[in-house]
Amino acid sequence: MKQKLLNLFLFLIISITSFAQVANQPNDYVVCDDDNDGFALFDLTYVDVQVLGSQSAEDYTITYHETQSDAINGINALYYLYVNNTDWLQIIYVRLEDNNTGSYDTTELSLVVNPTPIVTASTSLELCDDDADEIAVFDLTIKDAEITNGNTDWSVTYYETNADAQAQTNVITNPTAYTNNSVNGYGANPQTLFVVVTDINTGCLGFTTLTIRVLPNPTPSNTIPDLVLCDEINTGDEVEVFDLTVNELLIFNGEPGTSITYHVSESDAFSGSNSISDPTQFSNTVSPQTIYARVTNNTTGCFAVVDFDIYVDSLPDLNFESSYSFCVGDTLVIDSELSTLDYSFQWALNGNPIPDETQASLTVTQSGFYEVSVISLLGCGTTIILINVEEIVCTDSDDDGVIDSDEDINGNGDLEDDDTDDDGIPNYLDSDDDGDNVETIDEITLISGRSSNNTIHQFIDTDEDSIENYLDDDDDGDGILTIDEDYNNNGDPTDDDTNSNTIPDYLESSVALNVNQFSTIEFKLFPNPTKDEVSIQFNISQVETIKIKVYDVQGKRVNVSHNTDENRTILNTSHLSSGLYFVELQNGAIKSIQKLIKE
């Protein structure tokens, strides 16, 4: 019997141990403080589930108490909506009681109040408008430090609506390049964005707003007239002292609260650097010169840049020859190459104004003394030029386009001793004066060129060696004779265009197919400048095969006697006038030219 009672007692003990209530330890109950006073409202039922664990809520009653003693005695239970009475952190006690047996268990609960980021609306973020559409690209993140007051434990995100901010959805994904909303082609201006500030340690949130605004730029007139001054003493230096501010009323365009600075470069104007210290006393450095005016709103700092030119006007530089001639039956055009927008003209013949001849050029049909009065429309003065024009009988014995008088290359009055290509035919009877297989008439009728005094034909010099093409057997100066640039071997170099750019090869130095023939004669001239004689020293020994020719700056050959001794030749230059000459040495197909100055 005793043994049966003992077994029953052990069974009851085991049963009570197996089914006793357990008050599980809950996690800290953490809330964010909306006013940062350290106190917050807690819904204590929030932790019931954690205290119960796997136990059924129907079998147990949970109560919360401010002291452990109250929890043990089951008295002074707290209302389930509870405000902590100790700021930031308070420990309260939990009683779990079995509804059937009255048995209980207790545990602790930490009530934690975390501060919430309290932020206010930041100052607005403003950008200047670049094209008057009220749309700009903003870097919102430059306001992060202001919004967080430098708190590195807080992060900032931006939203277009308050609803999105509260729900933390549809965050602006690229806050460093945000374009304000567009409405009918123009920006929403100003626009309010909604900001969420998160404490990265606690997850507590704060809310504020950010206003973004596109500011208008000043609108100065973009048609600022140029400033023009006359060269007071007509020195030709084109430098005067300008007052750049004379058009400021037009530049301001009636906008108050703006200021102007002047700059000599566009980059300086846009950066606002290196402004002209005294724009009322500015001396130009070139003419024309562009000046850049930066118009700045003194409040916003937004600016616009406009420009205008300044230049100095002087008496016109007329490059007329003192005399011209034209052939009987032809006409002559005398052109000032000036603009009627800047100057007015009046032509006269033998002292009498020619009616209706008020243009920049004059077509002459008769000989006489012509004069042109050129008046600056800016009132900077008048220039009068007198020109003698002769009508001459032009004989062209070989019909090559160059009159006989111009074919007296050495200028001695004897046409018979001028034979440029040494073919035994004087130039005035030779239709190919330089023997390059290109007719003289073709070499003087190129579109480009310049007029030469007392010369009816155009002065054409492709390689700019001061020898006219019709007297030059290497017109493009590439070291290959024109006659050797007949690459199709039909006897006519004018139809060879190997690179198909419409320029004959003999006029284009970049095309030199016969490079195996290309070489030069190296020689020295000394003394240079010279007075009575000059020595030529060669880099080859067979000097007797070298032909020596001397030309003046007009391309006319001049007679110069010379003596050769071994590798040196002495030229007698005593009879030459002072000036620039060209010494040409030719050995077969090889030709070299050097300048010679006669003092």
Side-chain angles (χ1 to χ4, degrees):
M1 183 64 179
K2 290 182 179 179
Q3 182 65 39
K4 290 182 179 180
L5 290 174
L6 178 62
N7 290 339
L8 177 61
F9 178 74
L10 291 174
F11 173 77
L12 291 174
I13 292 175
I14 294 172
S15 299
I16 292 171
T17 302
S18 300
F19 298 100
Q21 64 287 334
V22 175
N24 295 292
Q25 176 69 48
N27 297 328
D28 292 350
Y29 189 175
V30 180
V31 296
C32 296
D33 193 350
D34 58 357
D35 57 5
N36 283 347
D37 63 353
F39 298 94
L41 179 65
F42 292 84
D43 180 357
L44 301 180
T45 62
Y46 174 75
V47 296
D48 284 359
V49 173
Q50 295 183 48
V51 173
L52 285 167
S54 60
Q55 301 166 110
S56 173
E58 295 179 356
D59 297 330
Y60 299 92
T61 298
I62 300 174
T63 56
Y64 297 86
H65 306 265
E66 287 186 340
T67 68
Q68 187 175 24
S69 174
D70 287 349
I72 292 173
N73 295 313
I75 61 175
N76 300 321
L78 300 176
Y79 183 60
Y80 78 96
L81 294 177
Y82 177 72
V83 176
N84 56 308
N85 59 19
T86 303
D87 60 354
W88 305 117
L89 174 63
Q90 180 182 349
I91 304 298
I92 64 173
Y93 301 88
V94 187
R95 175 187 175 95
L96 176 69
E97 182 177 332
D98 189 314
N99 294 334
N100 294 319
T101 66
S103 300
Y104 68 91
D105 191 17
T106 62
T107 188
E108 296 179 353
L109 170 63
S110 295
L111 302 180
V112 180
V113 181
N114 281 329
T116 295
I118 302 299
V119 293
T120 57
S122 69
T123 58
S124 60
L125 178 58
E126 298 173 336
L127 290 180
C128 298
D129 199 350
D130 57 353
D131 53 9
D133 62 358
E134 298 188 55
I135 295 176
V137 179
F138 293 82
D139 180 0
L140 306 178
T141 64
I142 64 177
K143 284 293 183 179
D144 286 1
E146 180 182 349
I147 292 172
T148 63
N149 197 26
N151 190 332
T152 58
D153 288 331
W154 293 357
S155 65
V156 182
T157 51
Y158 299 87
Y159 302 82
E160 289 187 335
T161 69
N162 186 41
D164 285 343
Q166 296 297 326
Q168 297 186 65
T169 58
N170 302 317
V171 66
I172 294 175
T173 57
N174 188 10
T176 61
Y178 175 74
T179 302
N180 57 313
N181 288 335
S182 178
V183 179
N184 297 324
Y186 290 88
N189 191 30
Q191 180 180 349
T192 299
L193 298 177
F194 298 86
V195 186
V196 175
V197 179
T198 304
D199 187 321
I200 60 178
N201 296 313
T202 67
C204 292
L205 304 178
F207 299 88
T208 187
T209 58
L210 170 65
T211 299
I212 58 175
R213 180 179 287 108
V214 182
L215 302 173
N217 286 332
T219 56
S221 172
N222 57 5
T223 55
I224 311 301
D226 295 334
L227 299 183
V228 184
L229 292 179
C230 298
D231 191 342
E232 293 182 354
I233 57 177
N234 203 38
T235 59
D237 63 357
E238 297 186 331
V239 175
E240 291 294 332
V241 178
F242 289 81
D243 180 359
L244 304 178
T245 68
V246 296
N247 288 318
E248 280 198 348
L249 287 179
L250 183 59
I251 298 175
F252 276 123
N253 202 20
E255 288 187 272
T258 56
S259 58
I260 300 175
T261 55
Y262 297 88
H263 308 259
V264 296
S265 74
E266 187 175 36
S267 60
D268 283 347
F270 275 94
S271 65
S273 59
N274 302 318
S275 62
I276 296 171
S277 58
D278 186 359
T280 64
Q281 295 287 316
F282 176 74
S283 295
N284 61 304
T285 55
V286 294
S287 181
Q289 181 172 7
T290 301
I291 300 297
Y292 300 88
R294 175 188 171 109
V295 185
T296 304
N297 184 298
N298 298 330
T299 302
T300 66
C302 295
F303 68 91
V305 174
V306 293
D307 64 80
F308 57 91
D309 288 337
I310 61 174
Y311 61 92
V312 179
D313 186 69
S314 57
L315 293 178
D317 184 15
L318 300 174
N319 296 317
F320 289 133
E321 304 286 354
S322 60
S323 61
Y324 291 90
S325 60
F326 68 100
C327 297
V328 174
D330 289 339
T331 59
L332 172 69
V333 176
I334 305 176
D335 192 351
S336 69
E337 299 182 355
L338 299 177
S339 170
T340 55
L341 297 177
D342 300 321
Y343 302 95
S344 65
F345 304 85
Q346 179 60 64
W347 295 85
L349 173 60
N350 298 325
N352 299 311
I354 306 173
D356 300 325
E357 291 296 346
T358 58
Q359 298 302 308
S361 63
L362 176 70
T363 300
V364 174
T365 60
Q366 61 181 347
S367 59
F369 288 95
Y370 289 83
E371 66 181 38
V372 58
S373 298
V374 183
I375 304 173
S376 171
L377 297 181
L378 299 173
C380 294
T382 302
T383 300
I384 300 177
I385 298 294
L386 185 65
I387 306 166
N388 180 30
V389 178
E390 294 181 322
E391 187 177 25
I392 63 175
V393 176
C394 299
T395 302
D396 184 5
S397 299
D398 52 5
D399 291 326
D400 63 356
V402 182
I403 62 176
D404 289 356
S405 59
D406 277 349
E407 303 222 55
D408 181 14
I409 304 301
N410 55 28
N412 65 355
D414 182 4
L415 297 176
E416 298 296 334
D417 65 354
D418 296 280
D419 183 10
T420 300
D421 57 4
D422 293 327
D423 63 353
I425 304 173
N427 284 3
Y428 81 103
L429 297 176
D430 191 347
S431 62
D432 180 9
D433 293 326
D434 54 3
D436 60 1
N437 277 10
V438 180
E439 294 292 305
T440 295
I441 188 66
D442 293 331
E443 299 204 74
I444 66 172
T445 54
L446 296 175
I447 295 175
S448 61
R450 63 174 177 82
S451 297
S452 180
N453 187 29
N454 288 329
T455 302
I456 304 304
H457 64 276
Q458 290 287 91
F459 189 103
I460 308 298
D461 179 15
T462 299
D463 56 7
E464 297 181 350
D465 62 357
S466 295
I467 302 175
E468 292 187 74
N469 281 8
Y470 87 97
L471 297 173
D472 191 348
D473 56 7
D474 180 10
D475 293 327
D476 55 4
D478 60 0
I480 299 177
L481 298 180
T482 295
I483 196 171
D484 291 332
E485 298 209 61
D486 177 21
Y487 299 120
N488 59 17
N489 295 315
N490 67 349
D492 180 11
T494 65
D495 64 358
D496 292 271
D497 180 16
T498 56
N499 61 0
S500 301
N501 66 349
T502 72
I503 302 174
D505 295 336
Y506 81 97
L507 294 176
E508 189 172 13
S509 60
S510 61
V511 178
L513 301 186
N514 291 347
V515 292
N516 60 317
Q517 299 180 10
F518 180 76
S519 59
T520 60
I521 305 172
E522 294 184 6
F523 66 96
K524 296 181 179 179
L525 298 175
F526 59 91
N528 189 11
T530 186
K531 291 184 178 179
D532 296 328
E533 64 180 25
V534 61
S535 296
I536 306 176
Q537 186 165 350
F538 307 94
N539 65 339
I540 60 176
S541 58
Q542 297 178 334
V543 298
E544 65 276 1
T545 64
I546 296 178
K547 294 181 181 180
I548 301 174
K549 299 178 184 179
V550 180
Y551 299 89
D552 62 16
V553 293
Q554 299 297 329
K556 294 183 178 181
R557 185 174 177 182
V558 296
N559 288 325
V560 176
S561 61
H562 61 274
N563 295 315
T564 300
D565 178 19
E566 294 182 351
N567 289 346
R568 188 178 66 168
T569 293
I570 306 296
L571 299 182
N572 181 9
T573 58
S574 59
H575 63 291
L576 297 180
S577 301
S578 298
L580 176 65
Y581 295 86
F582 297 89
V583 178
E584 176 188 279
L585 272 62
Q586 181 175 351
N587 185 18
I590 302 173
K591 180 191 297 183
S592 295
I593 298 175
Q594 288 192 28
K595 294 180 180 179
L596 172 65
I597 299 176
K598 170 63 188 300
E599 295 181 334

